[in-house]
Amino acid sequence: MAPCFLFLITFTFTFFTTPPSVAGKQFPSEAKALVAPITKDVSTSLYTVALNTDKQFVLDLAGPLLWFPCPPEHPTVPCNSTACAAAGAFHPPRCPRIAAIDKQPCTCTAYPVNPVTTMCSSDDLTFTSVTLSSTDGKNPTTVVCVPEVVSSCAPKGLLNSLPAAAVGVAGLARSGLAVPSQLFSKLYLKKQFAICLPSSGVAPGAAFFGTEPFYFLAAPPVDVAARLTYTTLLRNPRNPAYYLEAKGLAVNREAVPFLARMLEFDSLGHGGVMISTAAPYTTLTSHIYRPFLKAFAAATKAIPRAPKVKPFGLCLNSTALGSTRVGYGVPQIDVMLAGGTNWTIFGANSLKQVDKDTACLAFVDGGPKAEQAMVIGGYQLENSFLLFDLARSRLGFLSTLLGIMTTCSNFNFTVQA
Ligand SMILES: *[C@@H]1O[C@H](CO)[C@@H](O)[C@H](O)[C@H]1NC(C)=O
Ligand SMILES: *[C@@H]1O[C@H](CO)[C@@H](O)[C@H](O)[C@H]1NC(C)=O
Ligand SMILES: *[C@@H]1O[C@H](CO)[C@@H](O)[C@H](O)[C@H]1NC(C)=O
Ligand SMILES: *[C@@H]1O[C@H](CO)[C@@H](O)[C@H](O)[C@H]1NC(C)=O
């Protein structure tokens, strides 16, 4: 990856002829927020975020690191540095530690994980530069190159099962070396980031780092930051992923019968309700999936069925369904959150069209021993707006932008003249 060096030359060169604000690529920067496009890879149902202008990194909300295969010559990080201590903060379970070898000076080893296969590896901790656009919340403004972002090298094979266009993985979890934390501290940004996943591979969604507003085109354009509902983000002692405090599920406004306690995580960090961009569909432990499926089947019993399509447990003949602004007209699903708010899932996020006249309930059975009780996956997050406010440990969300007549693909990526 190109260092910021080239950009700094550009900056120095143009310094005397043009004011820094129009010099283009610069660091340090005055940016208050950054924006990057998020692309859906339809063959894997994963999402990538463009860092370094157009290089695609798999968006991993639960990942603690930025990682990619490094060139043979790359900088290393000393073992006794704070960056190395931060890299060791969340050692992935079942990933063997490499004994510190007698290399002098000692260089830091990191443990990158593929979020889909959960395969892990060990490789050098390094640093790289990251290039993003600053934004005023309405358009991209100037290009900002952020130098010396701590990241991990990884063997090429660790990219298996990820989108073909991906050159690495961008972890956005709550950890010192995740991309948001490093951008906040290097650019003095407000400690919050937002993601808005697109529902197709055609037009990108957007990720924001830093302060609101976050405008999406509509008639008139709407600042989504002003439309959010907030809920607490929980911290799992064992991993840096984002967890919600959920109290239950409801279908058609009726609670699904299961023990609410099943949604909590235990002292070992097992269970809980996690948000993941690496799971294509919301995954429920069998103890919750079975009563949930039964409740959805009962609430849709008048609708003709279509043959089941894996991995789904219930499919409907979509020719019999009406459509609404928020997708097929089917009973709504509520994730009931602590504090009495609901994350409401409408047809566009609950049913997936699998062929011309078949639409399936896009939730999957994670088995009786699933690591989390519930993982809210990508399909349920598309065209939702999620603001991770890390300073206040809360999530601002709008479960569907379709309800306010816009989509995640309506950020105006045209650079202001
Ligand atoms: C790390 O170790 C090197 C060599 O042993 C030493 O020179 C340096 O001061 C140490 N740095 C810190 C932050 O402890
Ligand atoms: C949340 O959802 C439940 C179940 O559908 C419902 O009973 C409750 O009234 C909803 N709360 C709000 C604030 O909408
Ligand atoms: C859906 O219903 C239509 C009209 O009744 C029928 O022609 C079609 O074969 C059905 N499709 C499936 C997949 O069941
Ligand atoms: C997108 O932003 C550009 C630059 O500000 C502006 O000229 C254009 O009208 C905007 N597009 C829409 C559809 O508003």
Side-chain angles (χ1 to χ4, degrees):
M1 260 170 247
C4 290
F5 184 62
L6 290 175
F7 302 130
L8 289 173
I9 289 178
T10 318
F11 174 59
T12 323
F13 183 72
T14 53
F15 188 77
F16 298 103
T17 51
T18 44
S21 62
V22 292
K25 297 155 177 174
Q26 49 176 295
F27 191 88
S29 118
E30 300 282 297
K32 292 201 159 49
L34 304 175
V35 65
I38 297 178
T39 304
K40 179 173 181 175
D41 178 64
V42 286
S43 67
T44 56
S45 292
L46 294 172
Y47 308 85
T48 58
V49 59
L51 306 177
N52 288 323
T53 317
D54 56 359
K55 285 205 174 104
Q56 301 293 327
F57 289 81
V58 174
L59 187 74
D60 181 14
L61 266 184
L65 288 170
L66 172 67
W67 64 258
F68 51 87
C70 292
E73 294 287 318
H74 54 262
T76 56
V77 174
C79 289
N80 64 350
S81 59
T82 50
C84 191
F90 292 102
H91 186 79
R94 297 180 293 277
C95 195
R97 277 181 202 274
I98 303 298
I101 14 172
D102 299 329
K103 216 172 10 160
Q104 280 304 332
C106 171
T107 57
C108 189
T109 299
Y111 297 87
V113 176
N114 177 312
V116 174
T117 62
T118 71
M119 266 202 19
C120 77
S121 192
S122 58
D123 213 320
D124 286 338
L125 195 66
T126 186
F127 41 85
T128 187
S129 63
V130 160
T131 307
L132 291 162
S133 289
S134 58
T135 180
D136 58 2
K138 294 180 172 157
N139 296 92
T141 45
T142 57
V143 175
V144 179
C145 182
V146 187
E148 294 187 10
V149 174
V150 180
S151 46
S152 173
C153 297
K156 267 213 164 67
L158 204 61
L159 291 170
N160 283 347
S161 310
L162 300 181
V167 300
V169 170
L172 302 189
R174 190 153 35 180
S175 65
L177 296 188
V179 174
S181 320
Q182 294 198 67
L183 295 177
F184 300 156
S185 61
K186 284 180 184 289
L187 289 106
Y188 307 102
L189 299 176
K190 183 170 176 182
K191 291 192 170 57
Q192 61 177 21
F193 72 94
I195 60 165
C196 200
L197 303 182
S199 60
S200 77
V202 181
F208 301 91
F209 302 90
T211 196
E212 63 275 21
F214 309 117
Y215 276 95
F216 285 76
L217 295 172
V222 54
D223 173 15
V224 173
R227 307 293 186 103
L228 305 178
T229 298
Y230 286 88
T231 189
T232 307
L233 282 174
L234 298 182
R235 205 184 272 273
N236 183 329
R238 298 295 288 270
N239 70 57
Y242 301 100
Y243 284 81
L244 299 181
E245 191 174 1
K247 298 295 179 196
L249 288 176
V251 171
N252 212 11
R253 297 193 168 273
E254 269 189 57
V256 176
F258 63 85
L259 279 177
R261 192 161 42 80
M262 288 205 286
L263 294 171
E264 295 168 11
F265 50 71
D266 65 20
S267 55
L268 296 175
H270 300 303
V273 178
M274 187 179 118
I275 309 177
S276 171
T277 45
Y281 308 102
T282 294
T283 307
L284 300 167
T285 177
S286 300
H287 311 293
I288 300 176
Y289 182 79
R290 278 194 233 102
F292 169 73
L293 187 69
K294 210 170 147 195
F296 197 85
T300 55
K301 64 176 184 296
I303 301 166
R305 297 331 201 211
K308 271 189 260 182
V309 176
K310 274 187 181 159
F312 307 118
L314 173 69
C315 298
L316 305 176
N317 185 326
S318 61
T319 61
L321 294 169
S323 38
T324 72
R325 193 198 287 174
V326 289
Y328 281 127
V330 286
Q332 72 181 54
I333 296 164
D334 289 307
V335 180
M336 296 184 279
L337 299 166
T341 58
N342 290 326
W343 177 314
T344 303
I345 300 169
F346 298 101
N349 294 99
S350 63
L351 289 191
K352 180 174 164 107
Q353 194 78 45
V354 297
D355 66 34
K356 189 171 53 59
D357 49 10
T358 306
C360 301
L361 180 64
F363 286 70
V364 299
D365 185 350
K369 292 187 176 143
E371 177 62 25
Q372 281 81 24
M374 177 172 185
V375 175
I376 302 180
Y379 193 76
Q380 278 67 41
L381 303 176
E382 290 178 356
N383 289 322
S384 299
F385 189 91
L386 305 185
L387 176 65
F388 295 85
D389 175 350
L390 302 190
R392 297 178 67 176
S393 202
R394 59 180 192 161
L395 174 76
F397 65 94
L398 182 56
S399 74
T400 178
L401 297 192
L402 302 178
I404 57 166
M405 308 280 239
T406 187
T407 72
C408 285
S409 297
N410 277 338
F411 181 75
N412 186 346
F413 275 106
T414 307
V415 180
Q416 244 164 8

